């Protein structure tokens, strides 16, 4: 089981993050990110404590992992998964919406039906096993840049406003363009890149589903203005200093992606179907509903107080 200290150490890599036009050297100490990174670290410590009941033996690996990542196969599994997600949500009063359990649920959904991905089935299975083994924090960018919503990717004025395939090589692909809305991506381990907006025939270059480490060369994260930076204390600002899940625009400046990290390639129909013909949409958004129930209880309690 991953500890909070191990998570924070993993963030000290070569990731390229920009805030107000300046590059951030270390998200674990920068005022905009240290609060949220410490909060996520506390989630890992909570899960690693056997007293909290969040550890299970993953049948895929035969090793301990976090129940929030499990593929539920029975009513008891559904209950265990729900209780684990609720345990995390209660520790933050539901104020962390895009923690490791969110995209972790989508990946569990993909991995529960790997044959959907055809020739890339082994890739999704392998990466899901890595998530289980390393308790990875994966975030996603699945929305094109907000430019002209009446046009699809190939109809825009420039070819690579939305992320797409620039070149194909024997060992992988090179992608270029941008995608959003990467909530918490600056303090995560890997980025899932895809598109949930329906594409049309002719948009094949943009019909991608893949993962890249945040430290991948050429990946640049441009952050929205933070809420935490100018706050004098956690006591006076208990929410913004600890729970600011900063959104980013992910820019792919000719990023090389090995074939082993690709799940869907130039397939418009399969791109949208990945969320609904696998349990990904159900498992990922069950997490969202669980934490929103916890958040609603917090708001009700605050109002009653």
């Amino acid at each position: 089981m991953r500890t909070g200290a191990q998570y924070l150490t993993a963030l000290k890599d070569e990731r390229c993050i920009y805030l107000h036009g300046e590059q951030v050297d270390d998200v674990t100490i920068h005022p905009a990110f240290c609060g949220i990174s410490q909060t996520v670290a506390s989630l890992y410590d909570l899960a690693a404590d056997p007293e909290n009941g969040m550890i299970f033996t993953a049948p895929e690996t035969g090793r301990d992992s976090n129940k929030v990542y499990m593929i539920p196969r029975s009513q008891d599994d559904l209950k265990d998964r729900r209780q684990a997600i609720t345990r995390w949500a209660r520790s933050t009063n539901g104020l962390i919406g895009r923690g490791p359990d969110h995209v972790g649920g989508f990946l569990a959904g993909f991995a529960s039906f790997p044959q959907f991905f055809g020739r890339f089935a082994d890739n999704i299975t392998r990466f899901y096993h890595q998530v289980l083994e390393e308790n990875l924090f994966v975030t996603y960018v699945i929305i094109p840049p907000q430019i002209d919503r009446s046009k699809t990717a190939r109809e825009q004025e420039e070819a690579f406003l939305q992320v797409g395939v620039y070149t194909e090589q024997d060992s992988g692909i090179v992608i270029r363009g941008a995608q959003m809305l990467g909530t918490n991506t600056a303090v995560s381990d890997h980025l899932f890149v895809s598109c949930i907006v329906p594409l049309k025939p002719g948009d094949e270059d943009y019909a991608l589903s893949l993962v890249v480490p945040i430290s991948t060369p050429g990946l640049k994260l441009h952050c929205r203005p933070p809420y935490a930076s100018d706050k004098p204390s956690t006591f006076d600002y208990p929410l913004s200093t600890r729970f600011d899940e900063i959104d980013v625009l992910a820019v792919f400046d000719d990023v090389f992606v090995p074939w082993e990290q690709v799940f869907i390639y130039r397939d418009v129909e399969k791109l949208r179907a990945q969320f609904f013909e696998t349990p990904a949409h159900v498992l990922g958004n069950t997490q969202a509903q669980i934490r929103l129930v916890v958040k609603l209880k917090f708001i009700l309690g605050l109002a009653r107080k």
Side-chain angles (χ1 to χ4, degrees):
M1 293 294 290
R2 190 184 205 183
T3 66
Q6 290 170 330
Y7 159 72
L8 292 171
T9 298
L11 297 180
K12 298 175 182 289
D13 55 19
E14 300 302 315
R15 61 190 59 208
C16 186
I17 299 169
Y18 289 95
L19 181 64
H20 300 310
E22 300 292 333
Q23 189 166 354
V24 176
D25 293 328
D26 186 345
V27 293
T28 66
I29 60 175
H30 190 282
F33 304 96
C34 63
I36 186 62
S37 60
Q38 289 291 337
T39 297
V40 175
S42 73
L43 296 180
Y44 279 114
D45 283 335
L46 190 152
D49 185 347
E51 293 294 321
N52 293 315
M54 294 184 64
I55 302 172
F56 82 118
T57 301
E60 294 82 5
T61 63
R63 299 181 62 181
D64 285 348
S65 190
N66 190 334
K67 289 179 180 177
V68 303
Y69 299 120
M70 73 160 52
I71 296 174
R73 294 177 170 85
S74 67
Q75 189 178 41
D76 286 340
D77 284 351
L78 285 170
K79 180 180 178 181
D80 286 347
R81 180 176 182 269
R82 173 177 57 80
Q83 289 178 336
I85 293 171
T86 302
R87 184 71 183 82
W88 259 7
R90 284 178 176 166
S91 73
T92 67
N93 290 312
L95 292 165
I96 297 297
R98 295 296 183 260
D101 47 353
H102 183 64
V103 177
F106 282 88
L107 294 169
F110 292 157
S112 68
F113 189 23
Q115 58 268 37
F116 170 85
F117 296 91
R119 65 188 178 107
F120 298 113
D122 288 345
N123 292 354
I124 185 63
T125 299
R126 186 187 314 108
F127 184 67
Y128 174 65
H129 290 183
Q130 184 182 353
V131 172
L132 287 172
E133 290 268 356
E134 302 176 22
N135 287 233
L136 292 179
F137 186 1
V138 184
T139 54
Y140 58 15
V141 284
I142 57 175
I143 302 174
Q146 302 298 296
I147 307 162
D148 185 342
R149 298 190 186 190
S150 68
K151 299 177 181 178
T152 60
R154 66 184 173 86
E155 298 169 337
Q156 301 293 340
E157 293 182 3
E158 296 180 31
F160 292 101
L161 297 176
Q162 179 175 341
V163 65
V165 182
Y166 179 59
T167 60
E168 179 181 324
Q169 303 176 4
D170 291 340
S171 54
I173 58 175
V174 175
I175 59 175
R176 176 185 288 185
Q179 205 80 331
M180 50 194 297
L181 184 67
T183 305
N184 263 342
T185 297
V187 294
S188 65
D189 298 304
H190 281 67
L191 183 61
F192 171 60
V193 183
S194 194
C195 182
I196 201 169
V197 177
L199 299 180
K200 299 177 181 179
D203 289 328
E204 284 77 12
D205 284 345
Y206 310 94
L208 301 171
S209 183
L210 52 89
V211 289
V212 292
I214 299 299
S215 59
T216 299
L219 173 57
K220 302 172 183 179
L221 306 179
H222 295 268
C223 303
R224 65 149 168 81
Y227 298 119
S229 293
D230 60 345
K231 301 302 184 292
S233 73
T234 297
F235 181 83
D236 290 319
Y237 298 89
L239 306 187
S240 56
T241 56
R242 294 183 292 170
F243 306 121
D244 185 14
E245 301 178 281
I246 295 177
D247 303 309
V248 310
L249 174 71
V251 176
F252 300 84
D253 188 2
D254 293 355
V255 172
F256 175 72
V257 183
W259 287 120
E260 291 77 15
Q261 295 169 209
V262 176
F263 305 151
I264 293 173
Y265 182 62
R266 304 189 80 252
D267 191 325
V268 171
E269 292 184 5
K270 192 175 285 290
L271 179 75
R272 180 159 176 79
Q274 67 180 326
F275 296 109
F276 304 103
E277 293 185 16
T278 75
H281 176 73
V282 174
L283 294 182
N285 288 304
T286 298
Q287 177 274 341
Q289 301 308 312
I290 291 170
R291 76 96 183 173
L292 284 169
V293 169
V294 173
K295 185 177 182 180
L296 178 60
K297 291 179 178 180
F298 170 69
I299 294 171
L300 288 170
L302 190 64
R304 186 164 184 259
K305 191 83 171 175

